[in-house]
Amino acid sequence: MSSQRGNSAKKGHQAYQNKEAFTAERNVKFSETEIAARKKLQKVLDRGCCERCCEKLQWKFQYGKYKPLKTAAKCRQCRRTCIQLAYRTLCDTCARGNKQCPGCCEFESEEARNANILKKLMAKAGVDEMDSNNGESQVDSNNTNSRLAQTSDIQKQVDAHTGDLSQLLDDLAAEDDDDDSVNE
């Protein structure tokens, strides 16, 4: 037996080397339309994906493990049923908009990650991302100081509105006092 005690030393290379590389479905005959469809699918497979996902998809296709979707899948972000390609979790529009890989949802860069986080925080706070005056972003997503400045600007706007409200309330109270003194 090869697993006997004291018989664990390897004695060289494997006995039989592969003479030909593995080809998936080598005994299956495909029509020209099927071959054209497979080539078209191979071109589209890695569109928008990161390098790691591209390698995975190419491996799956090369070794006959790729299984296409039968029905459209649902996007994790926009919740629409619009994903047509297998092994994807984001639709192309969401992936392009957030600069993410549609397969593994990894961001293209750290800047894209920070921009996405900031966008979610601003949406949660109810603040518009675009300035109405010039159409440019109010915040530079890479700069922490500008984020702090943005939050202080928002706080100033809130304080200004509350100051206006308190002034209006004081004016109304003064008018009520004047009306009460006139009625007596």
Side-chain angles (χ1 to χ4, degrees), residues 120-127 154:
K120 286 180 181 177
L121 289 174
M122 291 179 73
K124 192 180 250 186
V127 178
I154 293 170

Side-chain angles (χ1 to χ4, degrees), residues 45 106 142 146:
L45 272 182
E106 285 294 317
N142 297 334
S146 64

Side-chain angles (χ1 to χ4, degrees), residues 1 3 9 14 32 46 53 62 64 68 87 91 104 106 114-115 120 133 141 166-167 170-171 175-177:
M1 256 167 85
S3 63
Q14 68 186 46
E32 289 184 24
D46 56 355
C53 288
Q62 180 181 357
Y87 308 106
C91 63
C104 61
E106 285 294 317
N114 292 341
K120 286 180 181 177
N133 297 336
S141 62
S166 62
Q167 185 179 3
D170 291 340
D171 292 343
E175 287 178 7
D176 285 341
D177 290 338

Side-chain angles (χ1 to χ4, degrees), residues 82-107:
C82 56
I83 299 175
Q84 300 295 327
L85 295 172
Y87 308 106
R88 302 225 175 172
T89 54
L90 294 177
C91 63
D92 289 336
T93 54
C94 291
R96 245 184 275 119
N98 294 331
K99 297 181 181 174
Q100 285 180 294
C101 171
C104 61
C105 298
E106 285 294 317
F107 288 94

